[in-house]
């Protein structure tokens, strides 16, 4: 995109050409949420997970290569037009100005997306907001040129932006009948499903980014999966538990079982995503253990480094599948 933009800027050094590229890039940004579902569904055979490396790379290229290239043409075009206005005597200043603004935008975009936009708006709305902002800038640019074709182009851009926005928000992501909750946080895409287990029980499953984090059955069993049952090794290594810490919340099933085994124990559960705690209260009976199972929001490593408590038992459960087991 940078190279192509430089070639085009040398060949067509006009503001109108820059605005065409900006508008095209904006429209492709608006289409990303529309295409995301279709792209994700084609990355792997039905019922099988996508490859951990090839899947994300293929999705990123499919969704962002075209808008990324189109928007990358803007910087060399801006350098060309700014230096052209200065009779090519301030090329260095023009390039430095564009690079400075680009870097400032990158920093603000990185921190703004992670800490402000994703929690406040969600990903779909962010793409729409960015696409519409770029389209409005293009429309303003067309209007400033004040040519008959440019004015018509400004109107067309705004109409296309409106239609694309209606299309984006009109397409609802498919939600299965058994999905009772779906939330997006800075840390996870959270889903809660109700489905039948292999032995015929109804279970409620918590997933983050598609990976199961725990489940409870309709019969009140909190340890549906096999791996959480290994917490019972504490009976061998730590028969007396007065204080315990669990790193990772999930459905809070293991700390609840430990609280049943040791009614006088105080158990801290450290979970980085506050939404997991809220869902634990809503759906997984966390409030029934108030005072005994104490949720803590934060990074588990930092919690352990800062706490002044001493624990009889610490249970590490912050991994997500086999691929992401922390040291």
């Amino acid at each position: 995109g940078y190279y192509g933009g430089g070639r085009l800027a040398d060949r067509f050094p006009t503001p109108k050409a820059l605005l065409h590229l900006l508008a095209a890039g904006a429209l492709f940004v608006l289409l990303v949420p529309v295409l995301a579902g279709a792209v994700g569904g084609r990355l792997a055979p039905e019922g099988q997970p996508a490859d951990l490396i090839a899947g994300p790379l293929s999705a990123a290229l499919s969704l962002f290569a075209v808008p990324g290239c189109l928007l990358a043409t803007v910087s060399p075009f801006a350098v060309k037009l700014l230096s052209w206005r200065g009779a090519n005597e301030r090329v260095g200043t023009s390039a430095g100005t564009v690079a400075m603004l680009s870097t400032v935008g990158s920093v603000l975009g990185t921190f703004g997306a992670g800490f402000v936009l994703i929690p406040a708006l969600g990903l779909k709305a962010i793409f729409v907001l960015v696409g519409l902002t770029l389209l409005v800038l293009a429309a303003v640019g067309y209007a400033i040129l004040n040519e008959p074709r440019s004015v018509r182009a400004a109107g067309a851009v705004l109409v296309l932006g409106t239609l694309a926005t209606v299309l984006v928000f009109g397409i609802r992501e498919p939600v299965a009948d058994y999905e009772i909750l779906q939330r997006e946080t800075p840390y996870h895409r959270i889903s809660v499903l109700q489905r039948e287990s292999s032995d015929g029980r109804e279970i409620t499953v918590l997933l983050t980014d598609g990976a199961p984090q725990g489940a409870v059955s309709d019969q009140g069993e909190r340890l549906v999966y096999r791996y959480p049952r290994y917490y019972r090794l504490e009976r061998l290594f730590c028969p007396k538990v007065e204080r315990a810490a669990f790193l990772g919340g999930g459905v809070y099933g293991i700390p609840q079982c430990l609280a049943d085994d040791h009614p006088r124990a105080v158990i801290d559960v450290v979970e980085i995503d506050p939404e997991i705690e809220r869902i634990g209260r809503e759906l997984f009976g966390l409030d029934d253990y108030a005072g005994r199972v104490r949720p803590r929001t934060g990074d588990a490593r930092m919690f352990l480094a800062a706490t002044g408590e001493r624990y009889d038992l610490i249970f590490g459960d912050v991994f997500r599948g086999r691929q992401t087991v922390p040291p």
Side-chain angles (χ1 to χ4, degrees):
Y2 287 130
Y3 177 77
R7 293 292 299 269
L8 288 171
D10 286 338
R11 192 170 181 184
F12 306 103
T14 64
K16 188 181 294 185
L18 171 62
L19 295 172
H20 290 342
L21 292 168
L22 184 63
L27 289 172
F28 274 97
V29 169
L30 282 170
L31 287 175
V32 167
V34 179
L35 300 174
V39 169
R42 294 177 180 272
L43 292 179
E46 187 173 351
Q48 299 182 24
D51 183 88
L52 286 173
I53 297 175
L57 287 176
S58 300
L61 285 172
S62 301
L63 293 174
F64 304 126
V66 173
C69 284
L70 286 170
L71 294 177
T73 63
V74 172
S75 291
F77 242 103
V79 172
K80 178 72 174 182
L81 294 179
L82 285 172
S83 60
W84 182 53
R85 287 183 61 186
N88 291 324
E89 295 179 357
R90 304 183 63 188
V91 177
T93 301
S94 300
T97 301
V98 171
M100 176 194 71
L101 294 173
S102 175
T103 303
V104 170
S106 295
V107 172
L108 292 177
T110 299
F111 287 100
F115 293 113
V116 180
L117 294 177
I118 292 176
L121 300 177
L123 291 176
K124 180 185 287 188
I126 291 172
F127 279 107
V128 171
L129 177 64
V130 171
L132 286 179
T133 300
L134 294 172
L135 280 178
V136 169
L137 289 173
V140 170
Y142 284 128
I144 290 174
L145 293 178
N146 199 25
E147 300 172 0
R149 287 186 178 181
S150 297
V151 173
R152 288 196 294 271
V157 162
L158 293 177
V159 170
L160 287 172
T162 302
L163 291 175
T165 303
V166 171
L167 178 64
V168 170
F169 284 111
I171 296 178
R172 296 194 176 274
E173 296 182 30
V175 177
D177 295 338
Y178 51 79
E179 187 168 27
I180 61 176
L181 181 147
Q182 187 181 102
R183 291 178 188 170
E184 201 171 74
T185 78
Y187 301 98
H188 306 109
R189 184 189 183 96
I190 302 172
S191 300
V192 178
L193 313 179
Q194 267 188 339
R195 59 192 185 195
E196 189 174 298
S197 66
S198 57
D199 56 3
R201 292 175 299 167
E202 288 290 327
I203 61 173
T204 303
V205 185
L206 173 74
L207 298 96
T208 59
D209 300 325
Q213 298 301 315
V216 299
S217 75
D218 57 348
Q219 300 165 7
E221 184 183 0
R222 299 186 188 90
L223 306 180
V224 173
Y225 295 133
R226 183 177 299 172
Y227 89 88
R229 300 172 192 167
Y230 282 94
Y231 93 90
R232 293 182 176 135
L233 287 172
E234 52 84 22
R235 299 174 186 178
L236 298 176
F237 298 108
C238 187
K240 182 181 179 181
V241 178
E242 295 180 351
R243 298 195 65 84
F246 281 80
L247 314 181
V251 298
Y252 294 88
I254 311 176
Q256 290 172 357
C257 288
L258 187 73
D260 290 338
D261 294 342
H262 302 273
R264 296 185 180 180
V266 176
I267 303 164
D268 292 325
V269 184
V270 189
E271 167 60 49
I272 198 169
D273 192 341
E275 197 61 41
I276 296 288
E277 178 188 334
R278 282 191 280 271
I279 292 171
R281 296 183 186 280
E282 291 176 27
L283 299 175
F284 296 109
L286 182 56
D287 284 337
D288 296 340
Y289 290 81
R292 291 189 293 154
V293 176
R294 306 191 304 184
R296 308 290 194 191
T297 301
D299 179 271
R301 191 193 305 264
M302 295 174 66
F303 174 84
L304 290 178
T307 184
E309 300 287 354
R310 301 285 293 177
Y311 294 103
D312 305 305
L313 170 70
I314 298 176
F315 190 97
D317 191 19
V318 291
F319 59 90
R320 185 173 59 190
R322 302 187 196 113
Q323 297 84 16
T324 52
V325 180

